[in-house]
Amino acid sequence: MSAGRFAPSPSGSLHLGNLRTALAAWLVARESGAEFLLRFEDLTTGAAPAAQAEQLEDLALLGITHDGEASCQSERTELYAHAIHQLEQLGLTYDCYCSRREVREAAAAPHGAAPEGSYPGTCSRLTQAEVRKHERAGRRPALRLHSSGGIQTDDFVLRRADGVAAYNLAVVVDDAAQGIDQVVRGDDLVETTPRQVLLQGLLGYPTPTYLHVPLVLGLDGERLSKRHGAVGLQELRALGFSPQQVLGYLANSLGATPQDSPVTAEGVLNEFSAQNIPTQPWVFDPSELRSG
Ligand code: GLU
């Protein structure tokens, strides 16, 4: 069985950009008869029941249904530890004592053929004496992957210094454990894909298909955020818009419906084709929503 997913971080309300990505992922899944799973990526936020409840409610109001119970990354720490252990057994990891600042500075320095901004492997070359010095100073190491100098990716973090699995590792483990074979997400994550594909290969997981949906911008050209005013479903409802109106507007922006009149999610399904999703960022103009 094929499966897609929406994987929000429960760090607050979903804005129109998040909801648009959720709708795109749902349409791609449902159009192909795939399951659609909801996963809260709460490794950095911790349990966030209020935000999760609000996000669930927004998705339900828009008719973006999911199969089974929503899951949380915080329930799956053992799976992450197991995958990290596999990579350790393969001799593909090393401890990294660099602080964030040191990583920033190292990444800014010129270092041969490595991609710009990537970690140049400083701690992969530490002597025993240097390791002992860091330990004496009480530094706790993060764990990095030896990426073998591939040009597509650097030695990224697998486990943070506080012991929590890093985003790329967790996402790859989750997608494999949940049988996700189609990933539809915002194109702010496109640069993480080579890292995730590398991990899938090393861990013996299949690689899903990826579709990255362009971001949503405000009228000022900046990435959509709370600063742009009423950009969440609850806020728009308080202004008198129905969920079906908002959905119509989002569906239209995805090239799924010819005009932005009210629709239901099921209704959009007939019209939708992933090929029609515009490749340019979408600019949210509140006055268009009003005239829809
Ligand atoms: N949790 C990520 C986000 O909210 C999505 C991760 C993914 O789709 O791979 O942007």
Side-chain angles (χ1 to χ4, degrees), residues 5 7-9 39 41 167 171 175 183-185 188-189 196:
R5 45 69 159 188
S9 164
R39 176 171 87 220
E41 302 213 323
Y167 160 72
V171 163
D175 284 340
V183 172
V184 178
R185 59 185 179 185
D188 52 330
L189 290 167
Q196 295 176 18

Side-chain angles (χ1 to χ4, degrees), residues 216-240:
V216 178
L217 309 178
L219 281 173
D220 56 1
E222 297 292 325
R223 220 163 127 163
L224 196 69
S225 72
K226 282 197 201 316
R227 277 188 310 110
H228 292 101
V231 291
L233 185 59
Q234 305 302 341
E235 294 161 321
L236 290 167
R237 288 179 76 210
L239 292 176

Side-chain angles (χ1 to χ4, degrees), residues 52-63:
Q52 285 175 212
E54 187 186 339
Q55 295 186 352
L56 280 168
E57 189 191 345
D58 285 359
L59 295 169
L61 281 168
L62 293 177

